[in-house]
PDB file of all heavy atoms in Angstrom:
ATOM      1  N   THR Q 597      -9.171 -23.775  -8.783  1.00 98.00           N
ATOM      2  CA  THR Q 597      -8.664 -25.119  -9.228  1.00 98.00           C
ATOM      3  C   THR Q 597      -7.537 -24.898 -10.209  1.00 98.00           C
ATOM      4  O   THR Q 597      -7.294 -23.691 -10.614  1.00 98.00           O
ATOM      5  CB  THR Q 597      -9.770 -25.904  -9.940  1.00 98.00           C
ATOM      6  OG1 THR Q 597     -10.196 -25.149 -11.072  1.00 98.00           O
ATOM      7  CG2 THR Q 597     -10.982 -26.208  -9.116  1.00 98.00           C
ATOM      8  N   VAL Q 598      -6.753 -25.930 -10.492  1.00 98.00           N
ATOM      9  CA  VAL Q 598      -5.717 -25.794 -11.500  1.00 98.00           C
ATOM     10  C   VAL Q 598      -6.250 -25.227 -12.830  1.00 98.00           C
ATOM     11  O   VAL Q 598      -5.644 -24.383 -13.411  1.00 98.00           O
ATOM     12  CB  VAL Q 598      -4.996 -27.138 -11.664  1.00 98.00           C
ATOM     13  CG1 VAL Q 598      -4.073 -27.102 -12.928  1.00 98.00           C
ATOM     14  CG2 VAL Q 598      -4.237 -27.521 -10.423  1.00 98.00           C
ATOM     15  N   GLU Q 599      -7.418 -25.708 -13.165  1.00 98.00           N
ATOM     16  CA  GLU Q 599      -7.987 -25.262 -14.349  1.00 98.00           C
ATOM     17  C   GLU Q 599      -8.369 -23.757 -14.391  1.00 98.00           C
ATOM     18  O   GLU Q 599      -8.183 -23.043 -15.333  1.00 98.00           O
ATOM     19  CB  GLU Q 599      -9.324 -26.051 -14.729  1.00 98.00           C
ATOM     20  CG  GLU Q 599      -9.190 -27.486 -15.083  1.00 98.00           C
ATOM     21  CD  GLU Q 599      -8.775 -28.383 -13.784  1.00 98.00           C
ATOM     22  OE1 GLU Q 599      -9.268 -27.994 -12.673  1.00 98.00           O
ATOM     23  OE2 GLU Q 599      -8.042 -29.348 -13.983  1.00 98.00           O
ATOM     24  N   SER Q 600      -8.951 -23.309 -13.300  1.00 98.00           N
ATOM     25  CA  SER Q 600      -9.298 -21.941 -13.236  1.00 98.00           C
ATOM     26  C   SER Q 600      -7.995 -21.025 -13.272  1.00 98.00           C
ATOM     27  O   SER Q 600      -7.937 -19.957 -13.854  1.00 98.00           O
ATOM     28  CB  SER Q 600     -10.203 -21.601 -11.980  1.00 98.00           C
ATOM     29  OG  SER Q 600      -9.426 -21.680 -10.779  1.00 98.00           O
ATOM     30  N   MET Q 601      -6.949 -21.551 -12.581  1.00 98.00           N
ATOM     31  CA  MET Q 601      -5.605 -20.800 -12.693  1.00 98.00           C
ATOM     32  C   MET Q 601      -5.041 -20.831 -14.054  1.00 98.00           C
ATOM     33  O   MET Q 601      -4.486 -19.892 -14.499  1.00 98.00           O
ATOM     34  CB  MET Q 601      -4.672 -21.396 -11.590  1.00 98.00           C
ATOM     35  CG  MET Q 601      -5.014 -21.011 -10.187  1.00 98.00           C
ATOM     36  SD  MET Q 601      -3.830 -21.469  -8.980  1.00 98.00           S
ATOM     37  CE  MET Q 601      -4.039 -23.206  -8.867  1.00 98.00           C
ATOM     38  N   GLN Q 602      -5.279 -21.913 -14.807  1.00 98.00           N
ATOM     39  CA  GLN Q 602      -4.738 -21.964 -16.158  1.00 98.00           C
ATOM     40  C   GLN Q 602      -5.564 -20.904 -16.985  1.00 98.00           C
ATOM     41  O   GLN Q 602      -5.002 -20.201 -17.839  1.00 98.00           O
ATOM     42  CB  GLN Q 602      -5.020 -23.328 -16.722  1.00 98.00           C
ATOM     43  CG  GLN Q 602      -4.481 -23.543 -18.108  1.00 98.00           C
ATOM     44  CD  GLN Q 602      -2.922 -23.238 -18.233  1.00 98.00           C
ATOM     45  OE1 GLN Q 602      -2.143 -23.722 -17.401  1.00 98.00           O
ATOM     46  NE2 GLN Q 602      -2.564 -22.373 -19.213  1.00 98.00           N
ATOM     47  N   ARG Q 603      -6.852 -20.827 -16.659  1.00 98.00           N
ATOM     48  CA  ARG Q 603      -7.675 -19.759 -17.457  1.00 98.00           C
ATOM     49  C   ARG Q 603      -7.111 -18.362 -17.174  1.00 98.00           C
ATOM     50  O   ARG Q 603      -7.115 -17.534 -18.054  1.00 98.00           O
ATOM     51  CB  ARG Q 603      -9.103 -19.861 -17.077  1.00 98.00           C
ATOM     52  CG  ARG Q 603      -9.845 -20.963 -17.782  1.00 98.00           C
ATOM     53  CD  ARG Q 603     -11.331 -20.839 -17.617  1.00 98.00           C
ATOM     54  NE  ARG Q 603     -11.799 -21.391 -16.360  1.00 98.00           N
ATOM     55  CZ  ARG Q 603     -12.096 -22.650 -16.092  1.00 98.00           C
ATOM     56  NH1 ARG Q 603     -11.823 -23.523 -17.068  1.00 98.00           N
ATOM     57  NH2 ARG Q 603     -12.438 -23.156 -14.970  1.00 98.00           N
ATOM     58  N   THR Q 604      -6.617 -18.184 -15.932  1.00 98.00           N
ATOM     59  CA  THR Q 604      -6.041 -16.838 -15.622  1.00 98.00           C
ATOM     60  C   THR Q 604      -4.769 -16.566 -16.417  1.00 98.00           C
ATOM     61  O   THR Q 604      -4.535 -15.539 -16.970  1.00 98.00           O
ATOM     62  CB  THR Q 604      -5.702 -16.711 -14.156  1.00 98.00           C
ATOM     63  OG1 THR Q 604      -6.969 -16.887 -13.455  1.00 98.00           O
ATOM     64  CG2 THR Q 604      -5.094 -15.486 -13.719  1.00 98.00           C
ATOM     65  N   ILE Q 605      -4.007 -17.653 -16.601  1.00 98.00           N
ATOM     66  CA  ILE Q 605      -2.686 -17.474 -17.364  1.00 98.00           C
ATOM     67  C   ILE Q 605      -3.063 -17.307 -18.802  1.00 98.00           C
ATOM     68  O   ILE Q 605      -2.534 -16.383 -19.445  1.00 98.00           O
ATOM     69  CB  ILE Q 605      -1.774 -18.850 -17.197  1.00 98.00           C
ATOM     70  CG1 ILE Q 605      -1.353 -18.953 -15.765  1.00 98.00           C
ATOM     71  CG2 ILE Q 605      -0.569 -18.693 -18.161  1.00 98.00           C
ATOM     72  CD1 ILE Q 605      -0.483 -20.147 -15.544  1.00 98.00           C
ATOM     73  N   ASP Q 606      -4.001 -18.059 -19.335  1.00 98.00           N
ATOM     74  CA  ASP Q 606      -4.464 -17.837 -20.735  1.00 98.00           C
ATOM     75  C   ASP Q 606      -4.913 -16.397 -20.994  1.00 98.00           C
ATOM     76  O   ASP Q 606      -4.657 -15.853 -22.003  1.00 98.00           O
ATOM     77  CB  ASP Q 606      -5.475 -18.884 -21.174  1.00 98.00           C
ATOM     78  CG  ASP Q 606      -4.916 -20.333 -21.036  1.00 98.00           C
ATOM     79  OD1 ASP Q 606      -3.659 -20.429 -21.053  1.00 98.00           O
ATOM     80  OD2 ASP Q 606      -5.819 -21.234 -21.052  1.00 98.00           O
ATOM     81  N   TYR Q 607      -5.747 -15.961 -20.001  1.00 98.00           N
ATOM     82  CA  TYR Q 607      -6.318 -14.661 -20.096  1.00 98.00           C
ATOM     83  C   TYR Q 607      -5.297 -13.502 -20.052  1.00 98.00           C
ATOM     84  O   TYR Q 607      -5.324 -12.599 -20.877  1.00 98.00           O
ATOM     85  CB  TYR Q 607      -7.370 -14.467 -18.985  1.00 98.00           C
ATOM     86  CG  TYR Q 607      -8.194 -13.241 -19.083  1.00 98.00           C
ATOM     87  CD1 TYR Q 607      -8.929 -13.079 -20.291  1.00 98.00           C
ATOM     88  CD2 TYR Q 607      -8.446 -12.425 -17.998  1.00 98.00           C
ATOM     89  CE1 TYR Q 607      -9.843 -11.865 -20.294  1.00 98.00           C
ATOM     90  CE2 TYR Q 607      -9.226 -11.372 -17.982  1.00 98.00           C
ATOM     91  CZ  TYR Q 607      -9.866 -11.046 -19.239  1.00 98.00           C
ATOM     92  OH  TYR Q 607     -10.776 -10.006 -19.241  1.00 98.00           O
ATOM     93  N   ALA Q 608      -4.267 -13.746 -19.187  1.00 98.00           N
ATOM     94  CA  ALA Q 608      -3.159 -12.787 -19.130  1.00 98.00           C
ATOM     95  C   ALA Q 608      -2.451 -12.665 -20.448  1.00 98.00           C
ATOM     96  O   ALA Q 608      -2.141 -11.523 -20.992  1.00 98.00           O
ATOM     97  CB  ALA Q 608      -2.238 -13.074 -18.035  1.00 98.00           C
ATOM     98  N   LEU Q 609      -2.242 -13.880 -21.074  1.00 98.00           N
ATOM     99  CA  LEU Q 609      -1.581 -13.852 -22.389  1.00 98.00           C
ATOM    100  C   LEU Q 609      -2.409 -13.271 -23.446  1.00 98.00           C
ATOM    101  O   LEU Q 609      -1.893 -12.544 -24.335  1.00 98.00           O
ATOM    102  CB  LEU Q 609      -1.136 -15.314 -22.759  1.00 98.00           C
ATOM    103  CG  LEU Q 609      -0.111 -15.965 -21.830  1.00 98.00           C
ATOM    104  CD1 LEU Q 609      -0.029 -17.432 -22.132  1.00 98.00           C
ATOM    105  CD2 LEU Q 609       1.271 -15.284 -22.073  1.00 98.00           C
ATOM    106  N   HIS Q 610      -3.696 -13.475 -23.420  1.00 97.00           N
ATOM    107  CA  HIS Q 610      -4.628 -13.049 -24.364  1.00 97.00           C
ATOM    108  C   HIS Q 610      -4.800 -11.386 -24.272  1.00 97.00           C
ATOM    109  O   HIS Q 610      -4.785 -10.786 -25.316  1.00 97.00           O
ATOM    110  CB  HIS Q 610      -5.988 -13.650 -24.248  1.00 97.00           C
ATOM    111  CG  HIS Q 610      -7.127 -13.153 -24.878  1.00 97.00           C
ATOM    112  ND1 HIS Q 610      -7.167 -13.244 -26.348  1.00 97.00           N
ATOM    113  CD2 HIS Q 610      -8.212 -12.328 -24.584  1.00 97.00           C
ATOM    114  CE1 HIS Q 610      -8.237 -12.643 -26.738  1.00 97.00           C
ATOM    115  NE2 HIS Q 610      -8.853 -12.094 -25.738  1.00 97.00           N
ATOM    116  N   LEU Q 611      -4.889 -11.004 -23.019  1.00 98.00           N
ATOM    117  CA  LEU Q 611      -5.057  -9.542 -22.801  1.00 98.00           C
ATOM    118  C   LEU Q 611      -3.719  -8.832 -23.300  1.00 98.00           C
ATOM    119  O   LEU Q 611      -3.767  -7.703 -23.750  1.00 98.00           O
ATOM    120  CB  LEU Q 611      -5.178  -9.207 -21.284  1.00 98.00           C
ATOM    121  CG  LEU Q 611      -6.551  -9.422 -20.734  1.00 98.00           C
ATOM    122  CD1 LEU Q 611      -6.528  -9.049 -19.227  1.00 98.00           C
ATOM    123  CD2 LEU Q 611      -7.662  -8.570 -21.415  1.00 98.00           C
ATOM    124  N   ASP Q 612      -2.590  -9.503 -23.011  1.00 96.00           N
ATOM    125  CA  ASP Q 612      -1.350  -9.055 -23.427  1.00 96.00           C
ATOM    126  C   ASP Q 612      -1.001  -7.656 -22.925  1.00 96.00           C
ATOM    127  O   ASP Q 612      -0.644  -6.706 -23.773  1.00 96.00           O
ATOM    128  CB  ASP Q 612      -1.168  -9.101 -24.959  1.00 96.00           C
ATOM    129  CG  ASP Q 612       0.317  -9.067 -25.384  1.00 96.00           C
ATOM    130  OD1 ASP Q 612       1.143  -9.489 -24.526  1.00 96.00           O
ATOM    131  OD2 ASP Q 612       0.536  -8.761 -26.518  1.00 96.00           O
TER     132      ASP Q 612
END
Side-chain angles (χ1 to χ4, degrees):
T597 59
V598 169
E599 292 72 34
S600 66
M601 290 189 282
Q602 184 58 49
R603 277 193 278 282
T604 298
I605 297 177
D606 295 342
Y607 190 49
L609 293 168
H610 171 71
L611 283 179
D612 201 21

